[in-house]
Amino acid sequence: MTAQVDDDSGGALTSYRAMLHGSDLQGVGADSAAGTNQGSGHVPQPAYDELLGPDGLREVNSAVGEAIDSLGRYGLLTRAARARRFVQSDGVTYGSTEDGVQGRNWQIDPIPVVIGAQEWADLEDSLSQRAHLLDLILSDLYGERMLLHRKVVPPEVVLGHGGFIRQVDRVRLPSPQQLFLTATDLARGANGEWQVIADRTQAPSGAGYAMANRRIITRTMPALHRGVDLARLRGFFHTMRGALQDVAPETSEAPRVVLLSPGAASETAFDQAFMATLLGFPLVEADDLTMRDGRVWVRTPGKLEPVDVILRRVDAEWSDPLELRNESQLGVPGLIDATRRGTVTVVNPIGSGVLENPGLQHFLGAVAQEVLGEDLTLTAPPSYWCGDDAQRSHVLANMSDLVIKPITRDANNASRFGWDLSKEEQDDLRRQIEATPWAWCAQEPIPSSSAPVITRDGLEPRRLVLRTFAVAQGGGYRFLPGGLGRVASEIGQIQVAGRTGSVAKDVWVQASDDIATEPWAGHPSERIATYAGAEPSGLAPRVAADLFWLGRYAERAEGTARLLKVADDLTDDYGHRPGSLGAAAMTAILEAVALVTAVRPGLVESTTEHYPTEPTTHLRTLVTDSRTPGTVGYAVSRMVQASQQVRDQLSLDTWPVLSRLTETLEAEHEEESQLQSLLNQLIESLLAFAGIMSQSMIRDRTWAYVDAGGRVERSQQMVALLKATLAQENSPVIDGQITEAVLVAGESVITHRRRTAAGRGPASPVQSALNLLLLDRDNPRSVAYQLDRLGEDLRLVGDEERAEIGGTLAERLRGVDLDELGGHDRSALLALLNDLDGDLRGYADAIGARHFMRKATQTTHLTEWTLSRETH
Amino acid sequence: MGNQSDADFEPRQYRVKHRTTYTYEDDVTGCYERGCLRPRETPSQRVLSNDIEVSPQPDLIADHVDHFGNHSHYVEVRTPHTELAVTKTSIVQVEWPRADMDALNATTVAQARAALAADADPVERSTYLLPSALVDLAPSVRAYADSILLPDKPLGDAIVDLTRTIYTDFTYSSGSTSVKTTLPELLENREGVCQDFAHLAAGCLRSVGLPGRYVSGYIETQPPPGKPKLEGSDATHAWTSVLVPGGGWIDFDPTNDHLADSRYVVTAWGRDFRDVSPLKGVIFTESKASKLKVAVDVIRLDTLAD
């Protein structure tokens, strides 16, 4: 069972062992965080460590042990830092903050939890039995309800549970199994056996995170990863993809599947989007869908596309505002009726949350006997339902030793750890239980196992919870090998949950012969072939808008950064030479910067003093401030936000670039480096982003919207820049310098010089600049060029009409006579640019109106009380 | 309890016309409705015909029998409109038996409770015994129930007392409550409409262990003496039903202080108003306001079916 490790060489393992034996897991650090044990000593200690057994390193961990030993404390810390960087560069987020930006608090520890092939096979059998049982219960509860009629389960347990949704009574999936996905939270009991903490059947989250973890650990611990033969994760998603297509209504020949998300502000938005990517199905939100003729459709410009299967990540209560929560904007009105009529399949089915009821736990053994004629092989700690007099007496007499749970869990009513409660709190809870005993249950705590986590002080044992994932296919359940491991974020912490803080663990299942030989886990859907041939989906207005704005903000960030670079150059050269011609040019360019960014010095939010602000300070603010529209920082933060909204549409290469952009901007606050080098770094990253867009993306609708956004932005920025510079009446002595600056900002100075030197193009520098930046259809920076590309983008998304508007604009530009515009009097130029500016804005609005229209405001009405009384 | 003549329990036919009209200031581009647009069949009621009219022309009407056994309709209208009208016209034949109060009085409230716990269908019993969204079994509700439904009181008398006490204690006042009024608020303010009284009666029953359900429907009304009956002058009505040992349900009306008789037409029943809302909807519109108009006619017909 164990392998020998030289305790003296590493040190990290030795001190970990000492810590396991010497310390009280509940005591250490227990008073440092909320939700931790107050030390009354009622919670059983972890008696089982994942890494070390009674005789030393567990055999499955021999490679991990060696890695720990050879890395040593310093090496481990380095790996932890590396994992943190990967989390950031992969853009793995968890939780959300108020302004809609996704939380950056996903944490992962590099040391994997290893489960042996045989142990996993046994666990999978037990989990499979449990999944089958839950499936039969679900079927019964929304069907005959024999379990309740026969009182195998007291009816109040189910009928009083918030997850029992009467509106879906007798609605069935077109598959033998009604429970499509199930997740199970497990922890080890005192003897190391896995026990069930809870079932997650509403809309299980975490499989995407498990895959993200694997991707990170593979790169964090490459040698270790190579050295261990593991069961791969990808097959599960492949299986799930097929299963989703198989569960489509029988009438659909090439099933279209979407993942319905509550939105990018959702806590597990990353998991949802990554899942959509792994499955290869689009991520949609309620606004992207519409109900028509009793069917669900994706809204795309000019066309509706039918939806056959919805992978639901919106909780049931919020999924149909007509039938359930009227105020919900996250669901589709009529969805339940559509599932009843079988025009669409929703999985997990609405109503599956009834199985998350902890009150069921006590009766599962009896139910297994009744419906399977078997004992449950996967055990759970003893639990009690307070609706039964004897059980309630037991709970009330032993409150301090139990986890007390309302059968319906919600934001206002969470589980309580009896040992954490004061006398008053216990009395209060007792009164609540006695008032509605059927609504309460209790469970004995699970000792759980410990797993090592890398800290500055060496390895520390933390309680481990494992969430497993299964999907129904072909009459059975297929499992993700391992699952999502999580350990407490504090050493003494007992609850391991996202909300209270946790650290993720990659879970490695050693490959067995049958897992290793089938990386794609068999069972592709019979319908895949037809699906692959189906038309590429159009994009919903929300998605199109986010892609468009992603393109716009990326371009705005780059354009602004280039202009600021020019302004900073001039400030560097002439800032200390007031009165010089250069200083006059500098002032003119700074004025142009104010016009183009629409941020006036002194009006920046974070600046307390009023105008005048030192130019360099102001320029720095224009780069780093992320809250004031017009700054580079703002454009980057909106760019990141927009990309998070459409995560499933973008290449995985996008995230490291976005992460580097954010890091560059944030690092600047700490050290006073040169603004030039900061701007260079930003431009470099923005070019890398542009490179991914142009080199790694298929020329489809997704790309077209991003590109169109960039084109619209670049043309508007160019017009704004020209208005603010060349269209102003400048003294002829600085006109040349300003023209040069504009050409630099417009990335066209080299061409300008070459042409001037060769005697080609207009003779006057101003006219040459206008020609290059406005009219030249071969210059990728010119307005004319943007209009040409925009037309192509719009044709790609099937919008000939808007493409033609652009054509007309381009035509008008072609008729412009430079001789009239570049002379001393610039009023004609200004008038032209003003017109062009108006036309471009109108054009952008027209595109928006066609492609980005949200649905009308959704409201609900109920017939109010009406009245009747017999007239006496 | 109010007097009911034998004639009130004789069979009769009604034509019930129920028209709900919503008007908006701006176009509604999508409208999804759920409603009970067909009366259910009951031992005391047969539905001879039922006609549903929706204007504008709906894109879809679908119906099914819901969890409680009611007919439930889904309506989808996508023609842009500023007025939605849903009209249901039903011809029903009604004949309620007079409840045998002597038989009910053979058991006490406590005995009935015990008998139901032992013998009633567990699912039906629990469904109508647990609190529900609008039937909150708050301490004040329990206290009120305990003062009326004494354990030793004969069951028939208890039902009569509950009906009468609510009738006496509360003032009928339209507009004094809404769908959001809770039972403790009702007990505090002592005024409400039929829906409130039906919820309170159900809450009292459930508090003492007797399953109580909410029944929605109509009642035939008489115009003031000497006046003709005006079109649209009737309204929807709500009352309460209690499960008694043996599996029967006794319907009683605390708003009017008597048991249900052949003037009562049932639409649907459930745990409370939420389960049987006559019509509710989700609409897509930029309209800021909407107006609701409900017109009900309960017309007694001369003919009788076999």
Side-chain angles (χ1 to χ4, degrees), chain B residues 21-29 55-56 79-85 285 287 289-291:
Chain B
T21 314
Y22 286 99
T23 47
Y24 310 96
E25 293 168 347
D26 199 347
D27 266 351
V28 170
T29 52
S55 157
T79 308
H81 57 273
T82 53
E83 181 186 282
L84 174 79
T285 181
S287 175
S290 68
K291 262 199 305 221

Side-chain angles (χ1 to χ4, degrees), chain A residues 169 291 293 337 866-867 870, chain B residues 32 34 67 76 235-236 263:
Chain A
D169 205 8
M291 182 64 67
D293 302 323
D337 210 75
T866 50
L867 25 129
E870 200 178 344
Chain B
Y32 306 88
R34 160 81 49 213
H67 178 76
E76 189 184 313
T236 56
R263 289 170 291 181

Side-chain angles (χ1 to χ4, degrees), chain B residues 18 35 56 59 145 163 235 237 257 263:
Chain B
H18 182 167
D59 296 271
T163 311
H237 190 44
D257 187 26
R263 289 170 291 181

